[in-house]
Amino acid sequence: MNADHKLDAKGLACPMPIVRTKKAMANLQEGEILQITTTDKGSMADIPAWCKSTGNEYLSGSEDGNVQTHYVKRTERKKVAPAGDVKSISNEELEAKMKTGPVILLDVREPEEYAGGHIPGAHSVPLAQVEQYIAAIPASEPVYVLCKSGMRSQMACDNLMVNGRSNIIRVAPGMSEWNGPITSELLATAGMK
C-alpha cells in the first residue's frame, strides 16, 4: 500500500506509538495516508481503536516477526464522545475505594500484560474487545477502567460512553504507576455482570 507519510515508532512502548501517531496525523491533509511501523505488539489493538475513537480510517495492519505495520487514512475529524464527559480518578483514589468494598474494574491491556500482573479482581477486557463485552458490563454501578498509562483506558471509556454507558470512570495513570496489590491469578471475564 502506498503511503503519503511514514512514521517510525519502533522501539517505543505504549502509549508512545499512539502519541506519535496522533501528532503525525495532525499534520496530514484529509485523505492522506500514514504508514506507522512499530515494535509494540499492543499497537495491533491500540491503533485501530484510536482510529475508531477519532474518526480516522484504519486501512490495514500486519505483523512480520516483531514489527507491526499500520496504514491509517486521515479523515474529517469527528467528535465521538464529548470531551470531559469521562470522569477520571487517580490510582490512589481507586486504591482507597477498593479498601471500602469491592469495585468493578476493567483492565483493557493486552492479555499478555494482564497475565504479567494486574490488580486483584480486575477483569481482562482488551481494548479491541470492549464492544463485545458491553452487555456484560453493569450499566448502573460505577465501572473503573484502567490500562498501563491511561491512553487505552481513555479510548475504552470513549467507546463505552458512545455505546450508552455513563457509569464509566477512567483510572489514570494506571498500571505503570500502580503501587497497590498485584496478582498474576487469572480472572475470567465471562459472568462479570
Side-chain angles (χ1 to χ4, degrees):
M1 179 175 292
N2 292 328
D4 300 295
H5 303 275
K6 295 183 179 185
L7 171 64
D8 183 353
K10 292 190 292 280
L12 301 176
C14 179
M16 292 312 296
I18 292 290
V19 170
R20 296 271 174 92
T21 298
K22 181 179 178 181
K23 189 174 183 177
M25 291 297 286
N27 296 319
L28 270 61
Q29 299 297 315
E30 187 172 346
E32 290 187 319
I33 296 173
L34 176 66
Q35 175 189 327
I36 305 134
T37 308
T38 180
T39 51
D40 179 12
K41 198 165 189 59
S43 73
M44 293 306 289
D46 296 349
I47 292 177
W50 177 82
C51 287
K52 187 171 187 172
S53 73
T54 61
N56 289 297
E57 185 178 351
Y58 186 77
L59 300 174
S60 70
S62 62
E63 277 189 286
D64 185 12
N66 292 330
V67 177
Q68 299 81 37
T69 304
H70 307 272
Y71 292 90
V72 176
K73 184 177 184 179
R74 170 74 154 63
T75 58
E76 185 179 334
R77 295 201 190 285
K78 297 177 185 174
K79 197 169 188 181
V80 182
D85 278 359
V86 176
K87 181 180 177 186
S88 291
I89 65 169
S90 68
N91 288 359
E92 294 75 21
E93 289 172 301
L94 175 64
E95 194 169 6
K97 288 188 179 297
M98 291 171 61
K99 289 179 182 173
T100 64
V103 298
I104 299 170
L105 183 59
L106 304 184
D107 187 325
V108 296
R109 297 176 300 154
E110 290 300 299
E112 299 82 20
E113 294 173 286
Y114 177 84
H118 55 273
I119 297 171
H123 298 276
S124 176
V125 182
L127 177 61
Q129 298 175 14
V130 166
E131 278 191 47
Q132 297 168 13
Y133 286 97
I134 288 175
I137 299 170
S140 57
E141 52 196 299
V143 176
Y144 300 90
V145 182
L146 85 150
C147 65
K148 179 179 177 183
S149 65
M151 182 72 75
R152 287 178 275 183
S153 61
Q154 181 65 52
M155 290 187 282
C157 288
D158 289 345
N159 191 342
L160 290 165
M161 298 273 300
V162 165
N163 283 286
R165 296 306 168 101
S166 59
N167 58 322
I168 306 303
I169 302 166
R170 177 176 165 254
V171 181
M175 293 303 292
S176 65
E177 295 185 29
W178 179 254
N179 293 318
I182 293 178
T183 184
S184 294
E185 178 183 331
L186 299 181
L187 180 65
T189 301
M192 172 188 327
K193 212 169 188 182

